[in-house]
Amino acid sequence: MKTLLIILTIIISETIMAQNYDFEQNLYQSYERYKEKSLTHRRFKHSDITPLIKKLKSRDGFTSKVVGKSVEGRKLELIAIGKGKTKIFMWSQMHGDEPTATAALFDIFNFINDPANKEFCKALFDKVTLYFLPMVNPDGAERFRRRNFYDIDLNRDASRLQCPEAVILKNVFDSLSADFGFNLHDQSHRYSVGNSFRTATISFLAPAYNYEKDFNDVRGKAVKLIGSMFQALSQFIPGHIAKYSDDYEQRAFGDNFQKWGTSTILIESGGWKDDPEKQFIRKLNFIALLSAFKSIAEESYLKTSSEIYESIPFNDKYIFDVILRNLTIKSGKEKIKVDVGINLDEFEGPNEKKIYYKSQVDDLGDLSVFYGYIDYDFNGYTIERASVYNDKVFSLKNLEDFDFYKLYSKGYSTILVKKLPDEKFTRLPINLALKNKIDTTINIGESANFVLKKNGKVEYIVINGFLQKVEKNRKFEGNGLVIK
Ligand SMILES: [Zn+2]
């Protein structure tokens, strides 16, 4: 009898575990079915989500109401569904250029609306009510920048409440007295998990509510729920989950919401190799949030040990966009070996679908403790600054079908043009300038334009941080700079 009981217990507990595992696995496998197809990149605007919210109004169970307007008059809408006692409030994109979770919220709406999940949702909404405030900073999103119209960081306006968007967020928070809060952000894709070479793809935090970083029941619940989400995501991105800095910030929303009694969880979408538009990370947000809703409804998160949270490494900065290693710099008779660390900052083009990059040399020397998204060993190569071709001044019109191969092979990264375009960037695979300005050394803080030579022959060229093998008809994957 006793043996039978043990066997039964094992079978039951394994079934429960398998069920939990299956839930996230199923979400992972079936995600494409729910992905909101109209949101395809990170620079969507308020006008892209308005029709999606409008469509929700005709859906069973959803309500939405306008809770206020941004400085420029864009409407903020609170969407709700469920009739459960436990309230879960989530708000996204208070920083305008941090849209990954906003897109995931619309994927979640599609999941809820899918008849295949009717039973799951019925059970869920008996227990919880979900409240969503997507895109808290639509004016910032319009410009694809962090701050709002007044150039104020809304996440430093939680105490002073000077901006309408901050007032709205605070009012909604006060009106709900939610049990759980999800504060949804994007972080730099250059954060690593501790001092490892792994990108911090998702970072969690149960924000502190005082400078001492104490734990109470409210914060303790957030800690346990993060433990549960950590387990849910680790099967897809093992080693790529970190913890955001837990320093108390008295002007931030998450820290105050924790203080005011809502178990608050920060989710930061970071970086993942070959996912510049963060569409995979969007999928991880979708899984993490649904997994958290389930775990809250079933109260299963209470069983997770808070040690999981404690053991998650903090974010650190061990990642560059590009590292070119073991290059030789020649200076007269002297030779030194260097690694070159380059970062590429992105800018929205006149057309939101395009992004442009501006490169910067951020470090030189021994970078062996760092990792690069693009990371090559150039042992045996020398590096020199690329030059400006000044035998001819080009007209922009003539450059459309120009073969740049010859210029590359002679080490030119920049050409002179009669008139510079208005923009700061060019789709052309070369930099444009009005006059020849040559610096002979490689310096930190400057844009990355180099030639890499082997046995005196140019084999690679770096144009605005983009590495290009010098070969005929090779496509350039990047953009040039307009040097003003
Ligand atoms: Zn943020």
Side-chain angles (χ1 to χ4, degrees):
M1 189 61 195
K2 204 178 165 192
T3 333
L4 189 68
L5 259 180
I6 292 172
I7 291 172
L8 265 179
T9 316
I10 292 172
I11 290 173
I12 290 168
S13 59
E14 282 193 341
T15 318
I16 291 170
M17 280 174 67
Q19 269 178 358
N20 287 337
Y21 187 75
D22 276 354
F23 179 69
E24 283 83 24
Q25 274 293 335
N26 280 337
L27 293 176
Y28 190 90
Q29 301 302 338
S30 60
Y31 173 71
E32 284 306 316
R33 181 183 171 137
Y34 308 118
K35 184 174 179 176
E36 175 48 54
K37 301 284 186 299
S38 66
L39 305 176
T40 56
H41 55 74
R42 288 179 298 128
R43 291 160 306 286
F44 57 85
K45 309 297 179 200
H46 183 258
S47 57
D48 294 309
I49 64 165
T50 311
L52 300 175
I53 297 174
K54 200 172 167 200
K55 235 170 40 186
L56 275 184
K57 289 177 188 167
S58 61
R59 292 293 191 159
D60 253 7
F62 277 104
T63 61
S64 76
K65 66 170 180 196
V66 176
V67 284
K69 287 180 182 175
S70 69
V71 178
E72 288 187 307
R74 296 187 175 88
K75 288 176 187 161
L76 270 69
E77 293 190 68
L78 181 69
I79 299 154
I81 189 163
K83 53 186 168 57
K85 199 164 85 24
T86 306
K87 293 177 177 177
I88 306 173
F89 174 36
M90 59 216 93
W91 59 97
S92 71
Q93 215 172 340
M94 71 165 82
H95 295 139
D97 57 353
E98 300 180 8
T100 306
T102 303
L105 296 184
F106 288 93
D107 303 337
I108 289 172
F109 298 150
N110 290 342
F111 174 90
I112 294 170
N113 283 327
D114 194 302
N117 305 312
K118 208 173 165 186
E119 232 168 277
F120 170 82
C121 289
K122 192 184 171 302
L124 180 69
F125 297 140
D126 278 344
K127 296 281 183 194
V128 307
T129 304
L130 305 177
Y131 298 89
F132 304 87
L133 187 60
M135 200 184 273
V136 174
N137 180 5
D139 300 350
E142 201 64 25
R143 296 158 175 83
F144 198 57
R145 75 172 190 206
R146 178 181 177 88
R147 292 166 178 249
N148 81 341
F149 176 82
Y150 294 127
D151 223 353
I152 286 174
D153 183 340
L154 295 176
N155 209 22
R156 299 291 178 268
D157 197 27
S159 302
R160 195 173 277 185
L161 295 171
Q162 291 303 293
C163 300
E165 301 89 351
V167 173
I168 294 165
L169 181 55
K170 173 70 163 59
N171 285 346
V172 172
F173 174 83
D174 287 343
S175 74
L176 296 178
S177 297
D179 299 275
F180 291 91
F182 286 92
N183 187 9
L184 306 170
H185 290 251
D186 282 64
Q187 65 183 7
S188 166
H189 65 281
R190 290 180 209 127
Y191 279 130
S192 55
V193 177
N195 63 357
S196 77
F197 284 177
R198 288 185 302 273
T199 57
T201 307
I202 292 282
S203 293
F204 289 114
L205 178 71
Y209 56 87
N210 60 12
Y211 284 108
E212 293 73 30
K213 305 182 189 179
D214 289 332
F215 286 92
N216 59 6
D217 187 46
V218 172
R219 191 174 179 213
K221 279 187 179 170
V223 161
K224 281 178 180 286
L225 189 57
I226 289 172
S228 157
M229 293 163 88
F230 176 86
Q231 286 176 320
L233 288 187
S234 282
Q235 56 186 313
F236 310 114
I237 48 166
H240 284 273
I241 302 172
K243 197 154 59 189
Y244 201 80
S245 162
D246 62 352
D247 288 342
Y248 175 62
E249 170 51 75
Q250 62 170 2
R251 301 169 299 165
F253 276 98
D255 307 48
N256 280 301
F257 285 1
Q258 194 90 277
K259 185 160 76 187
W260 297 329
T262 292
S263 295
T264 304
I265 288 127
L266 170 74
I267 304 181
E268 294 272 356
S269 295
W272 182 254
K273 191 169 163 64
D274 299 328
D275 187 25
E277 291 300 338
K278 300 202 188 185
Q279 299 298 298
F280 175 63
I281 308 176
R282 164 184 174 179
K283 175 175 171 176
L284 296 172
N285 272 266
F286 167 85
I287 297 170
L289 286 170
L290 282 167
S291 169
F293 303 161
K294 182 171 185 277
S295 174
I296 292 169
E298 296 171 356
E299 298 192 343
S300 55
Y301 72 94
L302 290 170
K303 287 177 225 132
T304 43
S305 160
S306 46
E307 280 167 24
I308 299 174
Y309 179 79
E310 280 156 33
S311 68
I312 304 173
F314 279 103
N315 276 348
D316 217 323
K317 283 194 162 171
Y318 283 87
I319 295 176
F320 284 92
D321 288 324
V322 183
I323 299 183
L324 310 175
R325 297 184 191 274
N326 296 313
L327 286 153
T328 301
I329 292 181
K330 282 186 187 165
S331 176
K333 278 182 186 168
E334 301 298 317
K335 279 184 188 176
I336 62 162
K337 188 166 88 173
V338 294
D339 305 328
V340 183
I342 301 164
N343 284 327
L344 294 154
D345 289 329
E346 63 175 19
F347 296 87
E348 187 179 84
N351 169 352
E352 70 188 49
K353 289 194 175 70
K354 300 238 189 240
I355 31 178
Y356 292 96
Y357 293 92
K358 185 176 188 302
S359 64
Q360 181 166 299
V361 177
D362 268 348
D363 207 351
L364 289 167
D366 177 359
L367 304 185
S368 56
V369 299
F370 297 102
Y371 161 84
Y373 276 99
I374 291 169
D375 199 316
Y376 290 114
D377 186 353
F378 278 106
N379 197 16
Y381 286 78
T382 58
I383 181 167
E384 293 166 22
R385 220 181 152 102
S387 335
V388 180
Y389 181 74
N390 59 2
D391 282 3
K392 183 181 168 187
V393 177
F394 292 87
S395 147
L396 278 175
K397 270 189 212 143
N398 304 337
L399 292 170
E400 296 296 328
D401 300 311
F402 193 83
D403 180 9
F404 290 94
Y405 165 74
K406 268 193 187 149
L407 291 180
Y408 295 160
S409 64
K410 288 179 180 146
Y412 297 112
S413 66
T414 304
I415 54 171
L416 301 181
V417 289
K418 288 182 187 130
K419 187 176 174 294
L420 286 178
D422 292 336
E423 296 83 33
K424 290 177 186 155
F425 305 101
T426 170
R427 279 282 145 206
L428 292 169
I430 198 124
N431 303 313
L432 308 175
L434 282 182
K435 55 178 194 279
N436 188 354
K437 206 177 86 186
I438 290 192
D439 193 337
T440 50
T441 56
I442 296 170
N443 298 313
I444 286 177
E446 293 184 353
S447 60
N449 298 297
F450 308 120
V451 283
L452 310 185
K453 290 182 179 172
K454 196 167 194 181
N455 303 321
K457 184 173 171 266
V458 177
E459 291 208 1
Y460 291 86
I461 188 142
V462 177
I463 292 171
N464 185 30
F466 292 93
L467 180 71
Q468 172 89 347
K469 192 163 178 23
V470 178
E471 280 177 341
K472 267 191 179 150
N473 302 321
R474 196 171 179 96
K475 201 171 168 277
F476 178 74
E477 308 274 353
N479 64 271
L481 290 174
V482 174
I483 301 168
K484 308 220 166 177

